[in-house]
Amino acid sequence: MPFTETTPKVMVKVNGKPLLEWVLRWLGAHEVRNIVLGVAHLKESVMNHFRDGARLGLSIRYSEHTVEGGTAQGFRLGISRYVDDEDFLALNGDQVTNLDVQRLARFHAKHRPVATIAVTRPNIPFGQIKMNRTQEITRFVEKPIAPFYCNMGIYAFNKSILEYLNETGDIEKTMFPILAAKKKLKAYIHKGHFITVNTPKDLAEAERELADVVD
């Protein structure tokens, strides 16, 4: 907000191009050519801009779902309608990263879980205060790297994922806890850059990150 009142988040401009176009160009650079886009909110703007994907050297198909259905419905419908491969990539589509998706795919193929989540340790967006027992500040660390790993919203799935996908809801709350309990979930650690665009501040950071990318 406020950009997404009239525009889907993936169509917000980053250095003159929709965010999703940067994501698709990144996938194409990693030899990912066959794309299924799940569309719901203001879907016509996405479909009219990208069409069949030929302009980007891609083959794009569209899977329509509802906003209320959440990521579970979006992934479930897209996979059941169009995905024939045993293993494939899935992502939220609002990330700017230098993740090597082919390495993610090879890691997934080697370990054979139902799902592999790309994870990273992001920079915390606040300065960290160090203090002693008397509350005297001893050190100030500007935007330190988090001591924990975060979900990047980029996944490798096996087709058997359909057995675990709910009709509606968000997969982080509905599916991943079940897979973790069954030991069918792996993490792929990414140590490069990663931004998920949720705020105007994130948008400005994404523009800085992509400023030197050759078209």
Side-chain angles (χ1 to χ4, degrees):
M1 297 291 284
F3 306 112
T4 51
E5 288 182 350
T6 57
T7 304
K9 182 167 71 167
V10 295
M11 294 302 291
V12 170
K13 294 292 181 66
V14 179
N15 292 346
K17 294 184 180 69
L19 172 60
L20 182 57
E21 183 161 334
W22 290 107
V23 174
L24 292 174
R25 288 173 179 270
W26 161 67
L27 290 173
H30 287 271
E31 304 301 322
V32 178
R33 306 291 183 193
N34 296 315
I35 308 290
V36 176
L37 292 180
V39 291
H41 177 57
L42 300 173
K43 59 192 175 187
E44 292 81 8
S45 63
V46 177
M47 299 167 75
N48 291 338
H49 181 86
F50 294 104
R51 299 186 181 277
D52 64 358
R55 177 176 61 86
L56 298 176
L58 307 173
S59 174
I60 296 177
R61 291 174 290 180
Y62 298 91
S63 175
E64 300 182 35
H65 59 94
T66 67
V67 174
E68 296 77 12
T71 53
Q73 184 193 63
F75 280 130
R76 182 178 57 80
L77 291 178
I79 294 165
S80 61
R81 287 167 173 167
Y82 294 119
V83 176
D84 296 320
D85 294 331
E86 190 68 17
D87 294 294
F88 51 93
L89 298 171
L91 57 148
N92 293 337
D94 59 356
Q95 305 94 341
V96 174
T97 181
N98 63 350
L99 172 73
D100 187 330
V101 294
Q102 292 296 342
R103 288 187 176 182
L104 167 63
R106 288 194 294 270
F107 177 91
H108 177 75
K110 176 181 178 181
H111 294 281
R112 308 305 305 160
V114 172
T116 299
I117 300 176
V119 302
T120 193
R121 292 173 59 190
N123 286 92
I124 296 173
F126 307 103
Q128 183 179 8
I129 298 294
K130 301 285 188 179
M131 65 180 74
N132 59 23
R133 292 183 179 181
T134 63
Q135 294 179 266
E136 291 177 331
I137 294 176
T138 59
R139 189 180 176 199
F140 188 91
V141 183
E142 178 62 17
K143 297 181 180 178
I145 295 176
F148 47 80
Y149 287 98
C150 295
N151 178 6
M152 295 175 64
I154 302 171
Y155 317 111
F157 287 160
N158 181 271
K159 190 69 177 290
S160 62
I161 200 77
L162 288 171
E163 300 173 20
Y164 303 92
L165 277 166
N166 281 35
E167 295 288 324
T168 60
D170 292 325
I171 59 175
E172 296 84 358
K173 297 178 181 178
T174 59
M175 181 182 71
F176 286 151
I178 294 172
L179 291 178
K182 292 179 176 291
K183 302 187 185 302
K184 296 180 181 293
L185 191 62
K186 295 286 282 190
Y188 175 82
I189 297 173
H190 172 60
K191 296 182 179 179
H193 77 253
F194 167 73
I195 306 163
T196 182
V197 181
N198 288 316
T199 68
K201 185 176 181 181
D202 297 333
L203 182 61
E205 186 177 354
E207 289 189 329
R208 289 192 297 271
E209 192 67 47
L210 293 169
D212 297 326
V213 174
V214 177
D215 193 351

